[in-house]
Amino acid sequence: MKSYDPVIANIIADCQEAARDRSRLASATDGEFSINRREFLNRLAVGVGGIGGALSTLPAFAQLSSGQLQTDVTEAVPLIPVVEAIGKEVWKDNQLDEGAVSELFDQAMMKLTGRPSAKEAWRDIVLPDDIVGIKINPLGGPELSTHSIIIDKIIEGLYSAGVLHKQVIIWDRFEEHLLNAGYPIRPDEGDVRTLASDTEGIGYDDEVFYESEKDSITRRENESTLSRYSRIVTQMVDVLINVPVLKHHEMAGVSGCLKNLAFGSVDNTRRFHGKPLYCNPAIAEILEHKVVQEKLVLNIVDGLVASFDKGPTYHAESTWKYGSLFVSTDPVILDVLVLQTINQKREEMELDSVSKFSNHISTASALGLGTNTLDEADLQKVEI
């Protein structure tokens, strides 16, 4: 990476400011997500049945023209399918075992859909003529970004469902971050493309934007109250697969599905970082736009390596080899899982919970982007 990255520099400065502000809030009580992860898992284990049964008895997951999984309103609403895939063997001698990761990924997709093979599972997610945008998170560099093996497995699954390589775009906002994370820019339309919103010829859509004055005036780009959506989202893809990293975020508490896709899809985002908003309600309101909401078909949280502190940038002392994936069509409930996982790790490290800083999760639920209600989740486990 170049010696000075203004985006990273601004993130670090904003995080440092947030840390100073929050040191004065240390005595505040946790909010809505104060339930610890052990209790969460116990409640789910007792309270819900298997995803396979739900799929076999309810025709709830119909593949529409967009490829999105939606519920049939004439039937009782099922629990939200969520898979926690735990890879006990994916790390060997500090190296990822690609075979174990591949098996873990396939088993997670089969468990999510109730299908007997990964190929059939992917046919429930996408249609052969879909142009698929895979939104990764490359901000943490080579150590804490979306792993390429996960992206390779997604592309393999898409291809098995009839989606050609030339119909796939791996993307993020900034070329520099993609390059630093090991994703070379590939604009060739004959194969899988890797693009950024700041790639020449891409840019942002002047006709599709999020407008808000709920921000920090001094952090606005060109004094604008508009955040324009990337043309990758508005014009280039039919469906979106969201692949964030499981990590802490100094301003938003956690960086999971919601923040990765929201702030990765628009420009002029730094204005939402400052106090007292700390990214809320902007994250949820950006995702509420139909150009994102109607295209999002799957979320896969990369927890092979995770961070519990000092995020969103990489710090060796605050990461651990978690070796897990979270998978669901619902980004909100996955962020609840991300939050619980980070809080549990922070408890082990004798650090405070970050629940009170993750208000964007409940805001997203209130806007109908998913559920943050634990009893509405059907959590299934896969262990490899």
Side-chain angles (χ1 to χ4, degrees):
M1 187 171 70
K2 61 186 178 183
S3 59
Y4 179 76
D5 184 326
V7 175
I8 297 292
N10 285 338
I11 288 172
I12 292 173
D14 292 342
C15 286
Q16 290 173 341
E17 179 181 305
R20 289 192 297 270
D21 290 340
R22 283 169 177 173
S23 68
R24 296 190 288 270
L25 299 175
S27 61
T29 58
D30 283 349
E32 182 174 354
F33 299 107
S34 59
I35 178 174
N36 65 47
R37 181 162 172 73
R38 296 184 189 91
E39 182 181 350
F40 171 58
L41 295 177
N42 287 338
R43 286 177 60 183
L44 285 173
V46 171
V48 303
I51 179 174
L55 285 170
S56 64
T57 58
L58 287 174
F61 295 93
Q63 187 170 303
L64 304 183
S65 59
S66 66
Q68 189 171 6
L69 304 180
Q70 296 187 355
T71 56
D72 182 344
V73 296
T74 65
E75 301 286 348
V77 177
L79 298 172
I80 301 298
V82 182
V83 175
E84 180 178 27
I86 302 167
K88 295 182 177 180
E89 303 296 328
V90 300
W91 284 103
K92 294 181 179 178
D93 299 325
N94 290 322
Q95 296 291 324
L96 278 173
D97 184 317
E98 294 192 2
V101 175
S102 179
E103 179 65 17
L104 184 72
F105 188 93
D106 286 345
Q107 290 294 328
M109 292 301 299
M110 289 187 284
K111 182 68 72 173
L112 179 73
T113 59
R115 300 300 186 183
S117 70
K119 180 177 181 179
E120 292 175 88
W122 279 102
R123 288 176 175 174
D124 279 353
I125 304 297
V126 293
L127 296 174
D129 60 351
D130 281 333
I131 307 299
V132 182
I134 304 174
K135 172 62 177 76
I136 69 170
N137 189 316
L139 184 63
E143 300 89 354
L144 190 63
S145 294
T146 305
H147 285 84
S148 60
I149 186 173
I150 301 300
I151 302 307
D152 291 344
K153 286 297 297 181
I154 293 173
I155 294 170
E156 175 186 308
L158 293 172
Y159 188 78
S160 73
V163 177
L164 302 179
H165 286 178
K166 66 181 181 179
Q167 296 168 229
V168 179
I169 300 173
I170 303 165
W171 67 281
D172 187 58
R173 282 190 67 188
F174 301 106
E175 282 192 356
E176 191 68 34
H177 298 168
L178 288 167
L179 292 168
N180 189 48
Y183 290 89
I185 303 302
R186 295 191 174 103
D188 182 3
E189 295 184 1
D191 201 350
V192 174
R193 286 176 282 174
T194 302
L195 302 171
S197 298
D198 68 351
T199 297
E200 184 178 359
I202 304 299
Y204 295 88
D205 195 324
D206 291 332
E207 303 300 320
V208 187
F209 52 82
Y210 166 68
E211 184 171 13
S212 177
E213 294 183 1
K214 293 175 286 187
D215 63 1
S216 173
I217 296 175
T218 59
R219 288 184 170 90
R220 292 175 181 171
E221 294 177 12
N222 301 318
E223 301 181 353
S224 175
T225 60
L226 304 182
S227 289
R228 300 169 299 167
Y229 288 82
S230 170
R231 289 184 64 251
I232 295 172
V233 175
T234 64
Q235 300 180 30
M236 298 179 66
V237 303
D238 301 315
V239 298
L240 292 165
I241 296 175
N242 185 21
V243 196
V245 175
L246 197 164
K247 60 181 177 177
H248 170 264
H249 196 285
E250 194 70 62
M251 289 167 282
V254 299
S255 176
C257 296
L258 298 170
K259 190 174 190 303
N260 181 58
L261 187 54
F263 281 14
S265 294
V266 300
D267 65 359
N268 197 13
T269 58
R270 193 189 177 207
R271 63 195 181 105
F272 304 121
H273 284 171
K275 63 178 182 181
L277 298 175
Y278 297 120
C279 307
N280 184 54
I283 288 175
E285 290 180 350
I286 289 168
L287 291 182
E288 188 183 19
H289 197 294
K290 66 180 182 180
V291 76
V292 177
Q293 190 175 5
E294 293 180 358
K295 293 183 178 183
L296 180 61
V297 297
L298 186 64
N299 304 273
I300 301 168
V301 179
D302 181 348
L304 298 178
V305 176
S307 81
F308 60 88
D309 197 29
K310 301 181 181 179
T313 53
Y314 170 73
H315 300 270
E317 67 275 15
S318 57
T319 61
W320 83 105
K321 293 178 174 62
Y322 186 47
S324 294
L325 306 172
F326 297 147
V327 187
S328 181
T329 59
D330 184 330
V332 181
I333 198 65
L334 286 191
D335 273 13
V336 174
L337 271 177
V338 168
L339 178 61
Q340 298 297 341
T341 302
I342 290 173
N343 274 342
Q344 181 179 358
K345 187 66 176 180
R346 288 177 66 86
E347 181 181 357
E348 294 172 3
M349 304 303 293
E350 299 183 349
L351 295 171
D352 291 338
S353 164
V354 294
S355 294
K356 56 181 170 287
F357 308 133
S358 302
N359 296 321
H360 64 282
I361 299 176
S362 57
T363 300
S365 181
L367 290 178
L369 305 183
T371 182
N372 66 342
T373 302
L374 305 179
D375 290 336
E376 294 178 1
D378 179 2
L379 178 66
Q380 295 292 296
K381 281 192 174 184
V382 170
E383 294 189 10
I384 300 295

